[in-house]
Structure formats: structure tokens, C-alpha cells
Amino acid sequence: FGTDSRSKRYALQGSRWKVKALTYRIAKYPKRLNKGDVDKEIAKAFSVWSEYTDLTFTPKRTNPVHIEIRFEENEHGDGDPFDGPGGTLAHAYFPVYGGDAHFDDAEYWTIGSTRGTNLFQVAAHEFGHSLGLSHSDVRSALMAPFYRGYDPHFRLDSDDVQGIQALYGRKTSSGATTPTKTTPRTSVNTVNNELCKDAKIDAIFSSADGMTYAFKGDMYYRLTENAVAEGYPKRISEGWPGLPGNIDAAFTYKNGKTYFFQGSKYWRYNGRQVDGDYPKPISEGFTGIPDNIDAALVWGGNGKIYFYKGTRFWRFDPLKRPPVKSTYPKPISNWEGVPNNIDGALQYTNGYTYFFKDNKYYRFNDRTFSVDAADPPFPRPTAHWWFGC
Amino acid sequence: YPKRLNKGDVDKEIAKAFQYGIYLSQFGYLPASARNPSNGGLLQEETWTKAIQDFQGFAGINVTGELDEETMELMSLPRCGVKDKVG
């Protein structure tokens, strides 16, 4: 959710359905509308969201269903009473709270009329909440909170499409598709370098001055927007005097210092200069973190340091005592779509988090907390997308 | 009632304060902790002003921090009951 008042956009509540085939049931109908008409309008309201994603919505007559729909008045059992005509028209619960949608039956619900309150438009909005969208500050978006009257030419705004696709990905079956905002890293020139033969890396990190480096063996590569910079690879010992090869992991923390890990030891650098008496034992500087880690990164979601090893990960907070809570380690599977035994991890300048394993990489969406749904899908070949091969 | 104001005007202002205070609280602009215990439960002015500013910013209208006509008009629109500011 952008905090810059100049950039308006959708907001994700933070939860979503893990399945795409959803069911619903109209448990209580409005008093003044024909049931068949209501069934059609509700189905149409759901189809607004399935048009741009692989979500499907199937009505059922009996429970259990994912989304229950009810038309109620005043207090109706959820502690969030309706208020008679006008004011609040409806509300819905985010997926983590059940996804149900309630409509105020004191409203004069209508279908295809300028009178009363249009059922289809309000229902489509509420189902956006049922799917995990919060309110948007884009005035023209369906997910804007205000009802501004019947629109006979209603269409989803691009902001709504971006929001729902951020949660559930683009539609993969035939139908409307919307290109994603993210520009893929494409190679312009074919480059022959060692990484083209074997794109598996030891570590990858961004330096304090915004450069991105990949480490492999005794060598390091500076990466440009879409390839390896000219003049690389170079020896790690030349770039960071005192640092050995075969680094396990590296990251630059918000203090501007870069930390390198190998075996049971770690080094701290200020730019290209070692910053004190290093190496030191990991057990001393990073209590609670094991030796021989696979990867590490400072995650943009919360600014904490994450270490990955095998099938597990640890969260390290330098400001807390102890810096690693007793609830760690946790399974890497918590990071939906990220594999075990990764080689490298990187919080990149575009705001996405990337994980590297063997010759492939995964782009992680910090908002949906899962590997991004994209075309082509992840994992993608690192050599082509990162190293310009 | 205050000595120097018309009772009808006072009624309206008090009702407005309750109405819009409830609105801002209901849709997430006034947190539960907004009350200032040292004032016996009254809102701090800057909290109130910020809540209005946040609403105005979200709604895309002039951010004045005041309950002006444009703001009150927007608050009177029928809307969804879900909070605008979700933690």
C-alpha cells in the first residue's frame, strides 16, 4: 500500500485463498428481489474477478462453502450491525476471517436501474474483500469505498485488475489478459562468461552504493540491469582484500556495512575495506544462527535479517535480545514457492525479493508472500535473465 | 448550554462531532487509543485533525484537516462498511 500521497493504488489486506476454485452460497436472500434475479447478479459479480484471473466461483445450495452471502438488517450476529437505509450498504470479511459477505437488507436493492442501490456493483466490490483486497484510494476503482450510483457501463479499473492479479496471478486460460507492470530483465547482447556455462552461484548481494554482485568460487561479477558488467569476473581477494573465495552468503545491512559468511566465520566490510578485526565466529556475532548457511538477506518486508540453510530459515533481529526468537528455525516452505537448499537470496532495487537455486531463480512477492505468478512462470533461467547469456 | 451561542446551532455542532467522530472511528481513521486519559477521555486535537487529513488524503480531496463542506459531503455518501485503514 503506497504511503506516498502522489501514488494512488489498490491495497492488499494480507490474506488470500490458497485455492482458486471457490464455492459460494446465498444463505439469506433479500426480501424485495426475485431469487433467480439475485442468483444471476451475484454470479455476474463474481465473474468480474474471474475474468482476469484463474479464480472460479461455483454456487452451492448447502454448506460447506468458501463464501456465504446473506442479506440482513441491523445487528445480525457478527457485532457489526447495519444502519438502515443509506450509510453502510454492505461489508465482507477477508479470506483469513472467512470471506463471507453481508448486505444491508434495509437498502432498496435494484438490478439494472438508476433507482435504489445497484446490487451487482456493490456485490462485486464486497467480493473483492472476500478475495483479499482492501479499499483503494483510486477514485475510479471498484474497490474505492464509496458508492457513487449506478453505472450501466461498469468495468473493472486497471487498479482493481492489478490488485487481484497481485493476489491470484493473471488468467492463464483463454480470455482477457493484462500485462504485468514488472519489466523482465532481458538480455540485449549474448555474452560468453563462466556464468553462462554454469549459472549456479555461491552468493549474491547489493552493496551500500547500490551495485549488485554475484560470487562464484574465487571470482565475483558485478551485474548491470540485464547482464554482467564489462571487465568481469574479477578476483574476490582484489575486490575485498582479506576476503576468501567460496562465500556462503552475503548481505548489506541498513548500517551500510556488508557482511560475508563462510563456514563458521563472518566478515564485516565498510565498502571495500574490512571493518575491524575479522573474521569472527558466526556464533559470536550472530548468536542463534548456524554455521555453513546457504543464503542470507535483509528482507524489505520488515528490515530483519533472514538466514537460510537446508529446509529451514532463521530470523535475526539485531535490536532484540535474544536476536533469534525461540520459535526459529522455521520451514522454508513458509515462504510459499521458495525451494529448500537455496544458493543465494537478494532484496533487489525493484523491491522484489529473489531466491537463487542451481541455475534458476524465483521472484518473491513480498505483498502476497509467495513466489510471483508471472508469464513466463518462475523459476526462470538465471543465465538468461540475470547474466545476459 | 453555552451562554453566547444559539441552542439550535450548538445541537447541530455536537451532533456533527459525534456523527463524524463515529465515522472516522468506524472506518479506521481514529484508533481506539486516540483518547487522552489526562483530559478525561477527550480526543487530542492533533489526533482529530490527523484523522480528518488521513480521510481527505484517502478520498482524494483537499487535505485541510477541517470538517469542511467537501469532507462532510463525502462522509455522507453510501459506502462499504469495511475499514479504509486496515492494519
Side-chain angles (χ1 to χ4, degrees), chain A residues 143-222:
Chain A
M143 293 314 295
F146 307 103
Y147 176 75
R148 295 181 190 268
Y150 171 55
D151 178 1
H153 307 295
F154 167 82
R155 276 192 71 82
L156 273 195
D157 188 88
S158 59
D159 183 75
D160 303 306
V161 174
Q162 285 166 25
I164 200 66
Q165 290 186 340
L167 286 174
Y168 297 101
R170 300 193 307 173
K171 196 173 185 69
T172 57
S173 42
S174 63
T177 56
T178 306
T180 57
K181 281 169 64 177
T182 310
T183 305
R185 294 167 57 88
T186 55
S187 62
V188 176
N189 304 308
T190 301
V191 174
N192 281 319
N193 60 55
E194 200 56 39
L195 292 178
C196 291
K197 295 179 201 154
D198 176 9
K200 185 177 168 74
I201 54 171
D202 293 337
I204 186 166
F205 69 100
S206 294
S207 60
D209 57 0
M211 300 294 161
T212 304
Y213 296 97
F215 278 23
K216 187 178 173 74
D218 293 328
M219 312 303 282
Y220 77 97
Y221 302 75
R222 184 169 70 79

Side-chain angles (χ1 to χ4, degrees), chain A residues 42 44 122 129 147 210 221 356:
Chain A
I42 294 297
K44 205 168 93 175
V122 174
H129 291 315
Y147 176 75
Y221 302 75
F356 298 78

Side-chain angles (χ1 to χ4, degrees), chain A residues 202 215-220 234-238 243-247:
Chain A
D202 293 337
F215 278 23
K216 187 178 173 74
D218 293 328
M219 312 303 282
Y220 77 97
K234 298 182 181 180
R235 302 197 74 82
I236 290 174
S237 54
E238 288 168 13
L243 194 64
N246 300 300
I247 292 295

Side-chain angles (χ1 to χ4, degrees), chain A residues 216-260:
Chain A
K216 187 178 173 74
D218 293 328
M219 312 303 282
Y220 77 97
Y221 302 75
R222 184 169 70 79
L223 305 183
T224 65
E225 274 281 306
N226 51 23
V228 173
E230 258 190 60
Y232 288 84
K234 298 182 181 180
R235 302 197 74 82
I236 290 174
S237 54
E238 288 168 13
W240 287 268
L243 194 64
N246 300 300
I247 292 295
D248 291 334
F251 62 82
T252 298
Y253 193 52
K254 49 192 172 188
N255 59 4
K257 309 286 172 71
T258 304
Y259 297 78
F260 299 93

Side-chain angles (χ1 to χ4, degrees), chain B residues 27-69:
Chain B
F27 296 113
Y29 296 96
L30 276 177
S33 56
R35 296 186 177 279
N36 181 351
S38 64
N39 283 337
L42 296 178
L43 282 176
Q44 289 178 305
E45 186 181 343
E46 51 262 37
T47 305
W48 174 254
T49 304
K50 181 159 187 324
I52 299 173
Q53 287 174 334
D54 285 349
F55 172 75
Q56 291 167 329
F58 190 91
I61 59 176
N62 285 331
V63 178
T64 62
E66 307 264 323
L67 267 183
D68 47 40
E69 282 299 317

Side-chain angles (χ1 to χ4, degrees), chain A residues 102-178:
Chain A
H102 301 159
F103 298 81
D104 187 352
D105 207 20
E107 306 299 335
Y108 179 42
W109 296 107
T110 56
I111 295 172
S113 169
T114 53
R115 291 160 59 219
T117 305
N118 186 262
L119 174 60
F120 160 66
Q121 282 168 225
V122 174
H125 172 100
E126 297 306 325
F127 298 151
H129 291 315
S130 302
L131 297 173
L133 294 175
S134 286
H135 284 147
S136 174
D137 56 3
V138 173
R139 191 181 187 281
S140 55
L142 172 67
M143 293 314 295
F146 307 103
Y147 176 75
R148 295 181 190 268
Y150 171 55
D151 178 1
H153 307 295
F154 167 82
R155 276 192 71 82
L156 273 195
D157 188 88
S158 59
D159 183 75
D160 303 306
V161 174
Q162 285 166 25
I164 200 66
Q165 290 186 340
L167 286 174
Y168 297 101
R170 300 193 307 173
K171 196 173 185 69
T172 57
S173 42
S174 63
T177 56
T178 306

